Amino acid sequence: MPFLSSQAASYGFGRAKQPPPASRSPSGTYRINIVGDASISTLISGLNTAKTALGYAAVTLTFTNTLITSSYTGSNLTLANFEAVLIYTNGGLTFNASLGTNLNAYIASGGPVVFGMFMWGNVAALTNFTYTNSPYAFRGSQSSQTATMTKTVVHPITTPINTSVAGSTFCTPTVVVQTSATSIATFPDGTSMVAYQNAPRRVAVNL
């Protein structure tokens, strides 16, 4: 998921909140729990590459690699453990009902979350999760599009990203942007590609 990797890193969670000016070099350690499928190691590699390219070389990212399974309850999703959670799946997986409840609690406590592909489509709804806590409403269909990005809002997430991205990609064409969210990039047909919410920060990537 290279595009998601770029988005998550470029959004600048934690001490590195935006692409830094040349006059300062953020540092420190940032703990991320990646809750996803078997491609977690690829995503970690992409995040570290993007981090350096965006000027955060002195920031150390530490990762907890958590596979989404019916046994994972999300009980460790607290700000005491993680500065951010990145949750995604590329396929239909069975979620533990407690995961949605604990993810809601993490967001309510101020925890930033990045929602990757198919957290709102192509899978059964995340049980007990309140979808207004995600920039996108839950829908259940998918298609593919050429991933040419139109930046609809000037924002640090999309500033360093080229407008031509990766060729063809899966997306959820019926995705609905929540009234509390802002879409900042779209596909050629106008479908939202990236959206965000504030307070706490949540980002959704629809590819």
Side-chain angles (χ1 to χ4, degrees), residues 70-90:
S70 58
S71 62
Y72 178 61
T73 66
S75 59
N76 62 339
L77 297 183
T78 67
L79 285 173
N81 292 329
F82 307 109
E83 275 74 51
V85 172
L86 198 162
I87 183 167
Y88 76 95
T89 176
N90 285 324

Side-chain angles (χ1 to χ4, degrees), residues 79-146:
L79 285 173
N81 292 329
F82 307 109
E83 275 74 51
V85 172
L86 198 162
I87 183 167
Y88 76 95
T89 176
N90 285 324
L93 299 176
T94 302
F95 304 114
N96 188 295
S98 296
L99 176 57
T101 300
N102 287 316
L103 188 60
N104 284 329
Y106 179 77
I107 292 169
S109 69
V113 178
V114 175
F115 297 90
M117 185 56 182
F118 297 146
M119 288 314 304
W120 46 85
N122 196 40
V123 294
L126 183 54
T127 307
N128 293 332
F129 180 66
T130 304
Y131 274 85
T132 52
N133 281 333
S134 168
Y136 293 141
F138 174 77
R139 292 294 185 272
S141 65
Q142 64 169 334
S143 67
S144 60
Q145 290 198 46
T146 299

Side-chain angles (χ1 to χ4, degrees), residues 144-187:
S144 60
Q145 290 198 46
T146 299
T148 300
M149 176 198 294
T150 298
K151 301 178 185 181
T152 53
V153 175
V154 176
H155 194 278
I157 294 176
T158 55
T159 296
I161 307 301
N162 293 330
T163 56
S164 181
V165 182
S168 182
T169 183
F170 283 112
C171 67
T172 302
T174 56
V175 74
V176 175
V177 181
Q178 305 278 13
T179 57
S180 59
T182 300
S183 179
I184 59 176
T186 62
F187 287 98

Side-chain angles (χ1 to χ4, degrees), residues 42-62:
T42 301
L43 182 54
I44 288 174
S45 177
L47 284 166
N48 280 316
T49 298
K51 176 199 74 166
T52 300
L54 291 166
Y56 300 121
V59 176
T60 300
L61 301 179
T62 63

